[in-house]
Amino acid sequence: NSGIGERPALPIHFGCASEAQVHELHKLGPVTLGAHSWTHPNLTRIDTAALAEELSRPLEWLRTTNAPSVPILAYPYGLVSPGVAAAAEKSGYAAGLLVEGGWYSANSGAWHVSRFNVPSGLSEDGFMLRLSGVLDLP
């Protein structure tokens, strides 16, 4: 029974992985890590120094993990500008992923790669319906 303002406890599988758990991911099978910035800001709204830090720290950290990684950035909130794309390339990334846009298209360019969004709360059945093309939902 939760009172006003209290949030119910989430199941353990909804929690974030600890750093130690991420370092052990390779033991579970084929897992490849990428970056999503360091603190998840809107990269289009921060200054040049902060942008460089947000982009470089994840790549440095990924080098310390045991899991395979790729120099691909998933833009927080899917937001990108020409300056953010240029900074990502300068930092060592090979591509940038948007939040949506549908299935991958080679015509999108390396810094505006569309992807199939899987929103939180989507059931397994809902996911299968989206993948099948039966439902074309936003």
Side-chain angles (χ1 to χ4, degrees):
N1 185 16
S2 62
I4 296 174
E6 292 181 27
R7 294 181 182 210
L10 294 174
I12 189 91
H13 62 273
F14 279 88
C16 292
S18 69
E19 185 172 350
Q21 289 170 319
V22 172
H23 281 281
E24 298 297 316
L25 280 173
H26 71 283
K27 293 179 179 177
L28 298 175
V31 175
T32 303
L33 301 177
H36 196 46
S37 77
W38 192 249
T39 65
H40 203 267
N42 175 345
L43 298 176
T44 67
R45 298 292 216 164
I46 59 177
D47 65 44
T48 305
L51 179 59
E53 174 97 355
E54 285 292 333
L55 296 174
S56 64
R57 286 186 74 184
L59 287 176
E60 292 167 11
W61 184 84
L62 283 169
R63 286 188 206 99
T64 70
T65 67
N66 294 324
S69 63
V70 292
I72 295 177
L73 175 66
Y75 302 114
Y77 315 105
L79 300 173
V80 61
S81 67
V84 169
E89 184 173 19
K90 182 178 179 183
S91 295
Y93 292 92
L97 303 175
L98 302 173
V99 170
E100 53 195 24
W103 297 107
Y104 170 76
S105 167
N107 298 329
S108 62
W111 302 106
H112 295 88
V113 178
S114 59
R115 62 183 173 154
F116 186 78
N117 186 32
V118 179
S120 65
L122 184 64
S123 69
E124 185 176 343
D125 289 339
F127 179 69
M128 295 309 291
L129 285 170
R130 283 178 179 237
L131 287 180
S132 70
V134 170
L135 293 178
D136 186 23
L137 302 172

